[in-house]
Amino acid sequence: MNGKSATTRARGAVSIVDVSPRDGLQNEKIPVSTDDKLRLINDLIALGARRIEAVSFVNPKKVPQMADADAVMAGVRRDAGASYIGLVLNTRGAHSAVDAGVDEINYVLPVTDAFAAANQNTTVAAALDALEEVSGIAAASAIPLTVTAAVAFGCPYQGDVPGEQTLSVVRSALERGQLAEVALADTIGCAVPWQVGEVFASLASETDVPLRAHLHETRHTALANTYAAMAAGVTVFDSAVGGLGGCPFAPGAAGNVSTEDLAWMLARAGFSTSIDPQAATELGRWICAKVETAPRSGLSGAGVFPQVA
Ligand code: ZN
């Protein structure tokens, strides 16, 4: 079996949220058709993904790759046992997400004013005000709301982000929104494991709200950061097949940690994820070919180990 455990211990379940259709594609130059996005989503479900960040409801002039969000949501299978997440930056996006029938809303909350200005033309204070409204919109439709704290470990504009700055913004978010989950995002892939461990451990000591990590592989610290986040109690991780991904408003942001490397590492360690690493590698190759880029994952080069059944 692919990614069979190398240890004798069973270590429980880790949940992987695949963000390929959104974070994975939003920064690619070559547009992907709605049909191909739907194929990507269906293939993700087939290889085991149960939560999929499918779309974002953002200004199509600024992020043209996500302009077909309504059409994607209209085309996804509803009988497949998958939860479709729509990313939003403001109340307008939240209304669109509700209208499109997403299963979860993920609100992006920058922790620095500099990134708030560049990414969504706002401030941290105004983004917290908007969160309260977005929370009301989600609650009125009984849709779970999650928050992703962007640039939580470092910002392309501010530079260093002290842990206390991230924690104080997240504290406010927990007070002002009814949140099903909070993610800390290493948006530009500048975090190191000890930092990730400290910030997540502090946050975990303050709240019972489930935590998720969104880690980018820019400087090859994503899997080490995953280990650190897990040691701090995190059991939910974002990733993208082929290591696709980036942010149009975060210079230097490269791909997400790849779904295949993450799923393989976890399976080898004895954790159960629902994802098949070999199938994720193949899907990563397919979608990367569509956007004419090389897959950025270890498994795409070296393959799954061991390869014999
Ligand atoms: Zn990201």
Side-chain angles (χ1 to χ4, degrees):
M1 187 198 151
N2 292 325
K4 176 179 74 174
S5 173
T7 77
T8 52
R9 282 184 60 187
R11 297 179 200 265
V14 175
S15 164
I16 294 179
V17 179
D18 195 286
V19 301
S20 318
R22 199 282 305 173
D23 199 337
L25 296 180
Q26 71 174 4
N27 204 31
E28 292 301 326
K29 307 277 176 293
I30 296 174
V32 174
S33 70
T34 305
D35 280 351
D36 281 340
K37 288 181 184 176
L38 289 170
R39 178 172 166 189
L40 172 63
I41 290 168
N42 284 331
D43 286 357
L44 285 169
I45 295 167
L47 64 82
R50 293 293 170 263
R51 289 175 74 194
I52 299 172
E53 197 173 85
V55 289
S56 64
F57 297 92
V58 294
N59 186 339
K61 291 199 188 92
K62 292 193 172 160
V63 190
Q65 296 90 335
M66 295 291 117
D68 61 349
D70 285 326
V72 170
M73 282 309 301
V76 293
R77 285 178 53 200
R78 293 297 189 166
D79 60 351
S83 182
Y84 300 111
I85 304 166
L87 181 137
V88 308
L89 302 178
N90 49 39
T91 53
R92 187 168 150 176
H95 283 298
S96 301
V98 170
D99 293 345
V102 302
D103 300 302
E104 302 174 45
I105 293 175
N106 181 28
Y107 177 73
V108 177
L109 177 65
V111 306
T112 72
D113 281 323
F115 190 74
N119 192 57
Q120 52 212 76
N121 194 26
T122 188
T123 62
V124 173
L128 284 165
D129 290 342
L131 167 62
E132 208 167 308
E133 287 184 67
V134 167
S135 182
I137 294 164
S141 298
I143 299 174
L145 172 66
T146 68
V147 156
T148 295
V151 297
F153 303 100
C155 170
Y157 307 107
Q158 177 183 302
D160 255 342
V161 175
E164 190 46 44
Q165 180 176 349
T166 294
L167 291 168
S168 117
V169 174
V170 171
R171 249 174 239 135
S172 301
L174 288 164
E175 280 162 20
R176 300 187 62 180
Q178 205 184 313
L179 308 183
E181 180 185 77
V182 172
L184 300 183
D186 185 19
T187 308
I188 58 169
C190 63
V192 295
W194 296 265
Q195 175 191 18
V196 168
E198 272 179 27
V199 181
F200 268 114
S202 296
L203 184 54
S205 73
E206 295 183 21
T207 181
D208 292 329
V209 170
L211 303 179
R212 172 168 52 86
H214 178 97
L215 301 168
H216 279 252
E217 189 61 308
T218 320
R219 293 175 179 81
H220 296 290
T221 52
L223 288 175
N225 289 340
T226 299
Y227 183 88
M230 290 183 72
V234 178
T235 58
V236 187
F237 293 86
D238 289 352
S239 64
V241 290
L244 276 175
C247 173
F249 308 104
N256 289 276
V257 63
S258 75
T259 301
E260 53 268 34
D261 287 357
L262 179 62
W264 174 82
M265 179 184 81
L266 292 169
R268 284 294 282 170
F271 295 98
S272 62
T273 76
S274 57
I275 307 275
D276 177 344
Q278 177 64 39
T281 306
E282 284 156 21
L283 185 58
R285 284 197 190 109
W286 175 77
I287 190 64
C288 284
K290 286 280 173 192
V291 295
E292 297 179 17
T293 186
R296 294 184 290 254
S297 71
L299 260 59
S300 66
V304 172
F305 176 90
Q307 293 186 337
V308 288

